[in-house]
């Protein structure tokens, strides 16, 4: 592995033009420091979402508060929403990119600590920037869809179509193959500029893989804890479980059906906390039924 990674990091190493991603199932628990750090940030993200989601939605706020905070999107505090959005993305996305972070970290495992963390920061910053920009779009979609069930249902249906599309399929293949991605695109990944470029490219792939589900989330209830957990679990299984690609297709069909059902059933009933819990249960059963571990030691 280290020899392959070093070849990928060498500017003189030829990049195979026809390299195809190969599935590399399971989250790798080593190195422990990187995995623990991601776990801590993920936990903090969930804590912020649980604690601040009401404020982000403008719950319990009177007109005086609304005027002071400059809320202008249908009663939603834009600043609070974007803050919770960033925490939500950290909570949902960091576990899914852990295999790529660990793979990239192996390139400079013997370097000085300060150098390692500076490169890792350069690699991760593009993810944060990209998803913060996406948060402004999510705010707009949520502001429209939350008061119009047909619009919200349409967003969920669009997410289902995206799950079945070519962009999703191609991005998911690369997300499931962190080493293959590094070999294909990591020609100068040991430099700061190369780290930022690699992070930008992989951030775009990650965004392409998860964008549809995040659009669906704005329709299903962007601050619903059960739906956040359900879709976060789905994203994780898609990228780390051997049945991940099949789960992506099955979820696409389910989201299409859920969106279409708004024509006959009130959308709030279809996207309640209870149905989110049901989705979590279904994903858990499917994952266990395939008898494939998600975590690996090395």
């Amino acid at each position: 592995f280290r020899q392959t990674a070093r070849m990928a990091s060498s500017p003189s190493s030829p990049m195979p033009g026809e390299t195809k991603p190969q599935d590399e199932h399971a989250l790798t628990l080593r190195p422990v420091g990187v995995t623990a750090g991601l776990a801590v940030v993920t936990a903090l993200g969930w804590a912020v979402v649980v604690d601040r989601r009401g404020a982000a939605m403008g719950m319990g706020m009177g007109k005086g508060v609304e005027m002071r905070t400059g809320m202008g999107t249908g009663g939603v505090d834009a600043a609070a929403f974007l803050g919770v959005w960033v925490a939500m993305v950290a909570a949902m996305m960091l576990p899914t990119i852990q295999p790529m972070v660990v793979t990239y970290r192996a390139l400079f495992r013997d370097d000085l600590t300060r150098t390692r963390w500076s490169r890792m920061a350069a690699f991760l910053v593009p993810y944060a920037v990209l998803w913060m920009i996406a948060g402004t779009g999510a705010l707009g979609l949520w502001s429209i869809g939350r008061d119009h069930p047909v619009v919200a249902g349409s967003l969920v249906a669009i997410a289902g179509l995206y799950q079945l599309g070519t962009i999703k399929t191609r991005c998911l293949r690369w997300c499931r193959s962190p080493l293959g991605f590094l070999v294909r695109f990591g020609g100068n990944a040991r430099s700061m500029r190369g780290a930022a470029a690699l992070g930008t490219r992989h951030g775009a792939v990650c965004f392409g893989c998860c964008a549809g589900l995040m659009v669906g989330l704005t329709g299903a209830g962007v601050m619903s804890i059960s739906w956040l957990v359900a879709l976060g679990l789905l994203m994780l299984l898609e990228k780390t479980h051997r049945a991940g690609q099949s789960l992506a297709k099955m979820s696409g069909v389910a989201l299409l059906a859920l969106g279409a059902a708004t024509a006959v059933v009130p959308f709030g009933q279809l996207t309640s906390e209870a149905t989110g819990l049901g989705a979590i249960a279904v994903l858990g059963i499917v994952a266990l039924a395939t008898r494939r571990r998600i975590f690996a030691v090395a």
Side-chain angles (χ1 to χ4, degrees), residues 208-290:
C209 185
C210 301
L213 291 177
M214 297 305 279
V215 168
L217 183 61
T218 61
V222 72
M223 294 300 165
S224 165
I225 295 299
S226 64
W227 276 100
L228 289 176
V229 173
L231 293 184
L233 178 60
L234 175 59
M235 293 173 190
L236 181 65
L237 292 175
E238 283 181 351
K239 295 181 182 182
T240 62
H241 199 277
R242 75 172 180 181
Q245 292 171 315
S246 298
L247 280 171
K249 300 299 183 183
M250 289 188 291
S251 66
V253 174
L255 290 171
L256 267 175
L258 182 63
T262 59
V264 293
V265 181
F267 195 68
Q269 296 180 15
L270 293 175
T271 59
S272 65
E273 294 286 357
T275 53
L277 291 173
I280 295 171
V282 170
L283 287 171
I285 291 171
V286 171
L288 291 174
T290 57

Side-chain angles (χ1 to χ4, degrees), residues 96-148:
T96 73
I97 66 170
Q98 188 265 4
M100 183 64 204
V101 173
V102 169
T103 303
Y104 176 64
R105 166 67 178 76
L107 283 180
F108 44 86
R109 62 191 304 172
D110 297 325
D111 292 353
L112 296 175
T113 301
R114 185 172 60 181
T115 303
R116 291 200 303 264
W117 285 110
S118 61
R119 288 173 183 167
M120 187 61 69
F123 176 74
L124 291 174
V125 164
Y127 287 90
V129 173
L130 182 60
W131 282 106
M132 285 180 67
I133 294 173
T136 60
L139 174 59
L141 291 175
W142 166 253
S143 300
I144 298 172
R146 69 194 186 110
D147 295 323
H148 300 86

Side-chain angles (χ1 to χ4, degrees), residues 11-164:
S12 61
S13 299
M15 289 293 101
E18 299 298 326
T19 299
K20 292 184 179 180
Q22 300 294 325
D23 283 357
E24 300 160 22
H25 310 125
L27 297 174
T28 303
L29 298 184
R30 295 177 180 172
V32 176
V34 173
T35 301
L38 292 175
V40 168
V41 177
T42 298
L44 290 175
W46 281 115
V48 172
V49 170
V50 172
D51 183 62
R52 301 300 300 167
R53 63 194 176 107
M57 293 296 96
M59 299 176 183
M61 300 175 68
K63 283 188 175 181
V65 176
E66 179 174 336
M67 292 177 64
R68 289 196 303 272
T69 56
M71 293 162 57
T73 48
V76 178
D77 187 332
F81 180 95
L82 292 176
V84 174
W85 171 267
V86 171
M88 182 185 70
V89 168
M92 297 175 69
M93 297 296 177
L94 284 180
T96 73
I97 66 170
Q98 188 265 4
M100 183 64 204
V101 173
V102 169
T103 303
Y104 176 64
R105 166 67 178 76
L107 283 180
F108 44 86
R109 62 191 304 172
D110 297 325
D111 292 353
L112 296 175
T113 301
R114 185 172 60 181
T115 303
R116 291 200 303 264
W117 285 110
S118 61
R119 288 173 183 167
M120 187 61 69
F123 176 74
L124 291 174
V125 164
Y127 287 90
V129 173
L130 182 60
W131 282 106
M132 285 180 67
I133 294 173
T136 60
L139 174 59
L141 291 175
W142 166 253
S143 300
I144 298 172
R146 69 194 186 110
D147 295 323
H148 300 86
V150 174
V151 174
S154 298
L155 293 175
V156 175
I158 290 171
L161 286 173
Y162 190 90
Q163 287 287 98
L164 300 172

